[in-house]
Amino acid sequence: MLINSLPASRLAIYRRSTRLLMASIALFALAGCATQAPVDDGGRQAGQWERQQPDVEAFDTWTLVGKAGLRTPQENTSANLDWNQHPHYFRMLISGPFGGGRSVLEGREGRFSLTTSDGRFEAETPEALMEEQLGWALPVRAMPDWVRGLPGKHASYQLETDELGFPNHLQQDGWEIDYRDWEQVEGIWLPRRLVMNYGDLRITLVVNQWQSTDQDN
């Protein structure tokens, strides 16, 4: 009733000012919604992991070059790792102190071998092979999934995510895996640094290079 009693000129100004005020409020509200979407310093954004997960699962033929640190109550050492992974074949070149100088672990169709300076050895599982010859073992059959940020499909697991929805902490097969850093590789985000714990055994893996490889090999 008060508005209708105003002169026409003042009423037009009042309505125009009201529209401008409402438009400004709407813009501020939209800006507030935009700034609420979390983004970390490395460029990861909320929701990216869920959208890219099918691509990560399809990324099953690759080469990883990095460094692995091993810590137990008895020793604290490290080695370089050159890992070539295919769906039905893998080859790990471990060079450095905890690799016994230079060790090559290979597996194809259920056959596993480890070649060291002492010769070539075989066993039914890669874990048993490493334990027998090196005195420690990596969870080789699960690691192709874990290093990509995925739980293995062979057993139950518990997975926690960070504020962006990326894997943060994974528990499976008695192992606990913490994902500490990520990098973008060929359009998808993959772990760059992860720490794996099993009892007194602690393995820190730092990836220097991820690269997809041809599936024809």
Side-chain angles (χ1 to χ4, degrees), residues 113-205:
S113 66
L114 178 65
T115 303
T116 70
S117 57
D118 296 324
R120 186 174 184 274
F121 308 91
E122 295 184 353
E124 294 183 357
T125 67
E127 292 84 2
L129 193 56
M130 297 180 75
E131 189 68 43
E132 291 172 3
Q133 302 301 323
L134 302 178
W136 53 271
L138 295 172
V140 175
R141 288 175 294 181
M143 280 185 63
D145 289 320
W146 293 352
V147 296
R148 288 180 292 159
L150 302 171
K153 299 180 177 64
H154 61 285
S156 60
Y157 63 89
Q158 292 183 354
L159 178 65
E160 299 175 9
T161 58
D162 61 19
E163 68 277 6
L164 301 175
F166 280 69
N168 185 43
H169 182 77
L170 172 65
Q171 296 182 49
Q172 192 171 32
D173 292 340
W175 285 83
E176 295 192 14
I177 302 97
D178 292 308
Y179 295 94
R180 303 290 179 83
D181 196 13
W182 297 79
E183 66 174 326
Q184 197 167 29
V185 180
E186 300 182 16
I188 61 176
W189 288 94
L190 294 170
R192 194 192 74 85
R193 184 172 182 267
L194 56 153
V195 179
M196 303 186 296
N197 290 281
Y198 187 93
D200 293 333
L201 176 63
R202 180 183 180 92
I203 298 171
T204 301
L205 176 62

Side-chain angles (χ1 to χ4, degrees), residues 63-136:
T63 296
L64 180 158
V65 179
K67 189 170 185 178
L70 173 73
R71 189 173 73 185
T72 70
Q74 292 75 36
E75 62 179 327
N76 187 3
T77 185
S78 64
N80 296 317
L81 180 64
D82 192 329
W83 179 359
N84 186 244
Q85 181 71 38
H86 293 253
H88 305 292
Y89 169 77
F90 74 89
R91 180 181 185 273
M92 285 186 182
L93 170 61
I94 307 169
S95 56
F98 82 59
R102 179 185 171 94
S103 302
V104 178
L105 179 66
E106 294 181 275
R108 184 194 299 271
E109 298 177 352
R111 295 176 295 174
F112 303 99
S113 66
L114 178 65
T115 303
T116 70
S117 57
D118 296 324
R120 186 174 184 274
F121 308 91
E122 295 184 353
E124 294 183 357
T125 67
E127 292 84 2
L129 193 56
M130 297 180 75
E131 189 68 43
E132 291 172 3
Q133 302 301 323
L134 302 178
W136 53 271

Side-chain angles (χ1 to χ4, degrees), residues 10-35:
R10 293 183 61 188
L11 180 59
I13 294 173
Y14 179 87
R15 287 175 173 171
R16 186 163 57 249
S17 300
T18 301
R19 287 196 296 269
L20 289 173
L21 177 61
M22 296 303 295
S24 299
I25 292 173
L27 288 174
F28 279 118
L30 289 173
C33 292
T35 57

